[in-house]
Amino acid sequence: MGGPGLYYRNLTLATPGLVNTVYCDPFYGFCYPATVGVDQIVASSTTYKMGFNAGAGPDFRLGQSQVKAFGEARYSRMFTTHGTDLTFVPVTFGLRW
């Protein structure tokens, strides 16, 4: 199977940081000040671009039932304007009935 598609990419650059807050304990019912670790977002970028995918995989019946097990690998490529294209190969296993 294969064909063209519209791909979405979200890139986020984060740095670790600390934030002062108030923590309320639901079991004992009291609150106290606390410092917790967070990810502070420094920059982010989102884009939609065209691309394509092509994949294949086997499936086989499990015994005499209508249930089939399958596996699939799919090559996907997202065309980008600057730099190299984004490529990835997800591998999926599952059951069909």
Side-chain angles (χ1 to χ4, degrees), residues 12-96:
T12 303
L13 178 64
T15 183
L18 297 174
V19 172
N20 294 323
T21 187
V22 176
Y23 175 74
C24 294
D25 189 331
F27 185 73
Y28 292 108
F30 59 89
C31 299
Y32 56 92
T35 302
V36 295
V38 295
D39 286 332
Q40 294 177 330
I41 296 175
V42 177
S44 69
S45 171
T46 60
T47 186
Y48 288 93
K49 295 287 183 180
M50 291 299 296
F52 73 92
N53 67 70
D59 68 347
F60 54 91
R61 189 178 306 276
L62 297 177
Q64 299 298 321
S65 70
Q66 296 294 325
V67 177
K68 290 184 178 181
F70 72 92
E72 176 185 273
R74 186 177 296 199
Y75 174 82
S76 297
R77 178 177 217 131
M78 176 182 172
F79 303 124
T80 59
T81 307
H82 306 290
T84 59
D85 292 343
L86 175 66
T87 60
F88 54 96
V89 181
V91 178
T92 306
F93 298 98
L95 298 173
R96 285 192 188 102

